[in-house]
Amino acid sequence: MAWRRAELLAVGRTVLAARPRWLGPVVTAVLRAYRDPPVDRPRELAAFVAGATGPAGQRVGAAVVRERRMVPTRTQRMRWGTPAIDDLAALADFLDLDGDHLDWFADRRELNRHARDERLRHYRYTWLPHRLIEAPKPRLRAVQRHLLDTVVGLLPVHGSVHGFVPGRGVHTFAAAHAGKPTVVRLDLRAFFTTVTAGRVYGVFRTAGYPEPVAHTLTALTTTRTPAAVLRTAPDRAAAGARAALLRQPHLPQGAPTSPALANLCAYRLDRRLAGLAVRFGVGYTRYADDLAFSGDLTARQAGHLVTHVTAVATAEGFGTNPAKTRVRGRADRQQLAGLVVNAAPAVPRAEYDLLRAILHDAARNGLAAANRDGHPDFAAHLAGRVAWVGHRHPARAAKLRRLLADVGAPRT
C-alpha cells in the first residue's frame, strides 16, 4: 500500500465499522508525524493513532474495529551492519529454532519465574556473598552466545570502556591511570541487575530491529528472578535492597550476553562521565562496574569529582557504592582492578611473592599437596596465575615460568 492520504483513508474506511469524522484529520496527523511508513514500529503507530483526537475531541481509541489487517514488520535501517531480521519468523530462522521453541526461550508465559520444578527453569541460581549468579542452561546459553557473536558483540561501545571488549582488558583499563598524581575509583552498585529490560529493548531498537523482534531479543537476554529463589538468599536483609531489581526483568549475571549489553546500556553514562572528566582535566575509563579517574587533583577537587560522578550515575539510573570509593595520591598504593598503578600496572608484590611460594611448594611436595584450595585442575590454574602476574613484566614472567617448569605444569 502506498503511504499516501487517499490510500490510508481507503484502508481506514475498510478497517473501521463506520466512517468517523475524525479519520481525515488523524490520517493527516499520521502523515505529518511519519514521513515514511513505520513498518518497524507497529506498536508505536498504534499508540499514536489511539491517542489522537478528532475535530470535536472524539477519541480515536474508542473506535470500533470491523476488520484487523495483519501486516508483517520490516527492517527499515540497520545502523551498524548487524544482520537485518524483519519479523519473528525470520528471527526463529536466524536462531535455528521453530516458533514454539522461540516462544519457550523468550518465556512469554513466565514459566521460568513461576515454575516450582527446577527442570522447567531456563536458569540455575547460585547465591554469592554480594550477588546472585543466574546462569542460563546449555540450550538458552547457546542461543545467547549466538546473539553475542552475530548481533550484540558487533554494536559499538563507548571508547572509555575496557571490560568485555575485544583487544581491551584489565591492563588497558588500568594503564590509562599509571603514574598519575591522584587516582579516584568508584564502584557501581548492582551493575547488571540495575540494567532493566527497557534499556535493553532500547539498544535493540536503536540498532534498527523492528519492535516485535526487539521485544523478543530483549526477552531472550533478560530474566525475572523467581520468588522462590529470592527467599533462599543467605542474608535476606542485605538481599532485600536488590530483590526489587531482581523481581523485574533485568540482565542476568552469568549470561554470555549480559556484559556486552550492560556496556551498551551504559553508553550515555560513559559519555557523560567522559565529559565530566574533561571538565576536571582528568582521564576516565570503566571496566564493568569499576569507574576510574586520574589526574592532578587536590583533595577538594577529588571530593567534588566524586560528588558529581555520583550525581551523574544516579541520574542515569545507576547507583554508586560509597564504601568502595577510593581517592589515592602518589604516597598511597593506587590500585585498580587488582593492579597497582603507581608506576606501570602490576599485581601487588605480595601476590607475586605468594605465587612464588606456591610454585616452590608444588615443585618440592607435588601439585596435590600444594593445592590447598582444591582447584580441579591445579596445573592449569597455576599457568593462568603465572600469565596474569607476569603480564607485561618480563623479569617476573621469566622467573615464574622457570618455577612453573620445575613443577611440571604446562607453560603459558
Side-chain angles (χ1 to χ4, degrees):
M1 182 189 73
W3 192 249
R4 293 192 296 262
R5 178 179 174 82
E7 283 78 0
L8 292 179
L9 285 171
V11 170
R13 293 177 186 127
T14 301
V15 169
L16 299 173
R19 297 186 179 183
R21 294 173 55 196
W22 50 257
L23 181 58
V26 169
V27 167
T28 299
V30 167
L31 290 172
R32 286 175 179 170
Y34 298 95
R35 177 180 176 183
D36 299 310
V39 292
D40 62 334
R41 292 166 284 171
R43 297 188 185 186
E44 179 185 308
L45 177 61
F48 180 90
V49 172
T53 57
Q58 183 182 9
R59 288 186 63 250
V60 175
V64 177
V65 177
R66 178 175 60 189
E67 175 186 330
R68 294 186 180 274
R69 292 191 173 186
M70 303 303 294
V71 180
T73 56
R74 294 199 314 274
T75 302
Q76 282 193 312
R77 181 174 68 93
M78 303 305 295
R79 297 188 62 181
W80 294 296
T82 50
I85 303 173
D86 289 333
D87 52 31
L88 296 185
L91 177 60
D93 289 341
F94 179 73
L95 297 175
D96 196 23
L97 300 170
D98 59 34
D100 289 339
H101 280 92
L102 179 63
D103 187 66
W104 163 252
F105 287 124
D107 197 27
R108 300 184 190 281
R109 292 177 290 175
E110 294 197 328
L111 295 178
N112 182 78
R113 183 174 178 230
H114 297 294
R116 295 183 179 182
D117 189 340
E118 192 276 336
R119 292 173 296 179
L120 297 177
R121 294 176 180 166
H122 291 313
Y123 291 85
R124 294 188 175 95
Y125 302 92
T126 304
W127 284 101
L128 299 180
H130 303 291
R131 62 181 67 101
L132 173 63
I133 301 300
E134 300 176 286
K137 292 180 180 178
R139 294 177 67 190
L140 178 58
R141 175 176 287 274
V143 171
Q144 292 172 341
R145 172 59 64 179
H146 181 59
L147 289 174
L148 176 65
D149 293 340
T150 58
V151 176
V152 178
L154 304 182
L155 302 178
V157 300
H158 194 273
S160 300
V161 178
H162 290 256
F164 316 106
V165 178
R168 305 179 196 172
V170 170
H171 285 83
T172 60
F173 162 71
H177 309 284
K180 298 298 176 64
T182 303
V183 175
V184 179
R185 181 176 71 83
L186 297 94
D187 177 80
L188 294 176
R189 190 192 302 271
F191 182 48
F192 289 100
T193 52
T194 300
V195 180
T196 63
R199 293 186 180 197
V200 176
Y201 172 75
V203 166
F204 289 124
R205 283 291 295 127
T206 301
Y209 289 104
E211 286 176 341
V213 175
H215 276 292
T216 304
L217 290 172
T218 301
L220 291 169
T221 53
T222 60
T223 188
R224 300 176 71 177
T225 307
V229 173
L230 294 176
R231 288 194 292 269
T232 65
D235 185 345
R236 294 288 298 279
R242 291 189 180 181
L245 296 173
L246 292 169
R247 289 190 191 100
Q248 302 303 314
H250 60 275
L251 288 180
Q253 186 165 356
T257 44
S258 290
L261 283 170
N263 281 340
L264 294 165
C265 291
Y267 185 90
R268 200 168 82 162
L269 170 70
D270 291 319
R271 186 176 64 182
R272 291 186 65 180
L273 292 182
L276 184 65
V278 171
R279 175 180 164 190
F280 275 83
V282 298
Y284 163 67
T285 60
R286 178 173 64 80
Y287 188 94
D289 54 1
D290 282 343
L291 312 177
F293 300 83
S294 65
D296 193 359
L297 294 169
T298 65
R300 182 182 178 86
Q301 289 171 329
H304 286 320
L305 175 62
V306 169
T307 299
H308 281 81
V309 170
T310 301
V312 168
T314 301
E316 291 300 321
F318 296 93
T320 59
N321 187 348
K324 294 186 178 181
T325 298
R326 300 287 184 271
V327 179
R328 296 290 184 261
R330 279 204 172 105
D332 308 310
R333 186 165 79 170
Q334 301 168 332
Q335 190 165 334
L336 296 173
L339 298 174
V340 177
V341 296
N342 293 71
V347 300
R349 178 75 191 197
E351 185 175 344
Y352 168 65
D353 291 339
L354 176 61
L355 179 56
R356 288 183 61 192
I358 293 172
L359 290 169
H360 278 297
D361 185 21
R364 180 177 301 174
N365 302 311
L367 284 169
N371 186 15
R372 292 181 173 82
D373 292 329
H375 294 284
D377 189 343
F378 192 45
H381 169 75
L382 289 177
R385 290 279 301 277
V386 167
W388 162 251
V389 174
H391 184 74
R392 295 189 179 179
H393 288 271
R396 281 187 176 185
K399 292 178 182 178
L400 292 173
R401 284 173 181 154
R402 284 196 296 269
L403 291 171
L404 190 66
D406 294 338
V407 172
R411 294 197 176 208
T412 58

